[in-house]
Amino acid sequence: MPIADAHLPLLIRGARLHAPEPLGEGDLLLAGGRIIAVGGRIEPGAGFGHREIDGRGLIACPGFVDSLVHLSGGGGEGGFHTRTRALRAEDALDAGVTSLIGALGTDDVTRSHADLLACARALAAHGLSAWCLSGSYRVPVRTLTGSLRDDLVLVPDFIGVGEIAIADHRGSQPDVAELARIAADARVGGMLAGKRGTVLVHVGDGAEGLALLHAVCEHHAVPPGQFHPTHVNRRAALLEQGLAWLARGGSVDLTTSTTPDLIEAGDVPAAAALAQLLGKGADARRITLSSDGQASLPDFDADGELRGLAEASVASLHAAVVDAVQAHGVGLADALACAGANAADVWGLPRKGRLGPGADADVLLLDPDDLAIRTVVAAGRVHRPGGGQR
Ligand code: ZN
């Protein structure tokens, strides 16, 4: 049996299955890039070889879906020398992130959607699934084809728009009508192409917070579910606003990458923020965690002088899941859903974030004691963190 052949069916034996809801102990059969069978004892058919992994004593869960990664690099807000590098496939695989939503941020001048698309497709060569968002912080929106709606209708990789910045001095200060138009264009473009056309909204430090989103939904025929506001844990008052937005039927995204300085300045770590929202009765299914990977984070020295900008890491997503479960009492199924199934729902990716027949073959094997990632399967390819693909 040639174990190196990544195309052979892969049987994971006897793992504790989390779909993300617990399914008990059982086998998992993957073939042709999809999950074929889940649970019980599975005997693959005779006549063809297969690969086998011993999953006994390990948790098997869906690969993480990261709702915001600056795939082609970000930063640049401190001058050209502060631009961050593009994401490496190895970093995502090591972090258990098998699906990524790529976006531009502040810099849509030296960063382009064509480059973003190329970076997404390069990741696909490693078994990762990556999509792109049209637009950037700026409005009127920058696009690939010249039109937001055309991007969504004509380019399969483009599934939404963002990060559109609100309540931030780095944004274009869109008004209610302008934001409504963006949401409507994304919604209709998405409808025509069978996509959700979600608008990822970067929420800045401004005290107005989510007020603009409420105003759009009050004055225009835009449902709250069209928007997905991110960085909602950047301060306690905004997190409270997030609770009201959830109660209205919206969804929120919590940013997992942070620094001691940002926490000092009011940032609520994502795991704590998630526990707070759940403790106040929020619907766990409409909360997602994202890394904001490759964004720039300020790095201050002991005297408070800006030393430079560090890169946000995709690994912060897994760290937040572990922290939520181990330090904040969030149930494993809820934490996994926030890093997978919920994001898949927000972006309209039905084959992602779940262990079920027909889902994509993206699976993590976790140590049940510390939730460390032992094995990552991306599109059926087996990756050992730190140990490469085979
Ligand atoms: Zn942002």
Side-chain angles (χ1 to χ4, degrees):
M1 191 193 319
I3 195 136
D5 191 342
H7 297 295
L8 283 176
L10 176 66
L11 184 60
I12 300 172
R13 282 284 185 209
R16 282 162 52 182
L17 304 170
H18 273 263
E21 68 281 4
L23 299 179
E25 223 170 80
D27 297 346
L28 201 56
L29 179 63
L30 319 175
R34 302 284 190 100
I35 296 173
I36 302 299
V38 181
R41 172 85 185 175
I42 299 170
E43 297 302 339
F48 57 85
H50 71 276
R51 299 169 290 161
E52 207 163 304
I53 293 178
D54 186 0
R56 287 174 299 173
L58 297 173
I59 291 167
C61 69
F64 294 143
V65 181
D66 195 331
S67 286
L68 173 58
V69 181
H70 297 287
L71 299 180
S72 57
E77 292 168 0
F80 295 114
H81 64 290
T82 64
R83 296 165 90 250
T84 61
R85 66 183 170 86
L87 178 76
R88 294 179 312 189
E90 192 80 3
D91 294 339
L93 288 167
D94 282 350
V97 174
T98 53
S99 298
L100 310 97
I101 312 300
L104 301 183
T106 317
D107 183 1
D108 57 10
V109 179
T110 76
R111 307 281 187 187
S112 71
H113 290 97
D115 184 37
L116 183 65
L117 179 62
C119 289
R121 290 189 179 168
L123 294 174
H126 298 267
L128 296 165
S129 302
W131 289 270
C132 301
L133 301 185
S134 188
S136 60
Y137 275 20
R138 181 170 18 175
V139 299
V141 288
R142 283 267 167 134
T143 67
L144 177 69
T145 63
S147 149
L148 169 55
R149 188 175 296 192
D150 291 12
D151 279 6
L152 266 69
V153 174
L154 300 176
V155 189
D157 316 64
F158 279 64
I159 58 169
V161 57
E163 307 171 62
I164 304 290
I166 65 169
D168 197 304
H169 63 98
R170 295 164 293 178
S172 298
Q173 319 310 322
D175 61 17
V176 173
E178 195 156 23
L179 195 56
R181 216 163 16 244
I182 290 168
D185 249 0
R187 182 176 178 80
V188 177
M191 287 165 72
L192 292 172
K195 302 170 181 173
R196 277 211 73 226
T198 304
V199 183
L200 184 68
V201 179
H202 160 104
V203 187
D205 263 333
E208 64 272 37
L210 303 178
L212 195 60
L213 301 188
H214 285 285
V216 169
C217 296
E218 270 152 33
H219 296 105
H220 298 276
V222 176
Q226 203 66 39
F227 295 111
H228 194 44
T230 183
H231 316 315
V232 170
N233 55 321
R234 72 160 68 239
R235 55 196 169 77
L238 182 59
L239 195 59
E240 277 299 317
Q241 290 191 32
L243 204 55
W245 180 248
L246 284 163
R248 191 183 185 131
S251 58
V252 300
D253 182 62
L254 307 173
T255 302
T256 57
S257 55
T258 189
T259 65
D261 297 303
L262 289 172
I263 293 169
E264 179 113 341
D267 207 57
V268 185
L274 175 59
Q276 279 181 38
L277 291 176
L278 296 180
K280 290 178 178 174
D283 182 352
R285 292 168 302 177
R286 284 190 279 108
I287 304 170
T288 66
L289 299 169
S290 75
S291 70
D292 203 5
Q294 303 310 112
S296 57
L297 299 171
D299 175 26
F300 297 103
D301 65 18
D303 300 322
E305 288 292 315
L306 186 67
R307 202 160 28 194
L309 296 166
E311 284 168 10
S313 167
V314 286
S316 63
L317 182 57
H318 170 247
V321 168
V322 175
D323 193 25
V325 173
Q326 298 199 326
H328 296 277
V330 175
L332 180 60
D334 277 346
L336 292 175
C338 291
N342 301 350
D345 291 346
V346 162
W347 296 107
L349 304 171
R351 299 213 310 261
K352 296 300 183 185
R354 289 185 173 84
L355 298 185
D360 285 341
D362 301 333
V363 180
L364 310 182
L365 292 177
L366 309 178
D367 187 310
D369 295 328
D370 57 5
L371 301 180
I373 301 172
R374 295 281 178 248
T375 300
V376 179
V377 182
R381 294 192 208 182
V382 179
H383 172 89
R384 312 276 185 201
Q389 266 179 334
R390 65 179 174 84

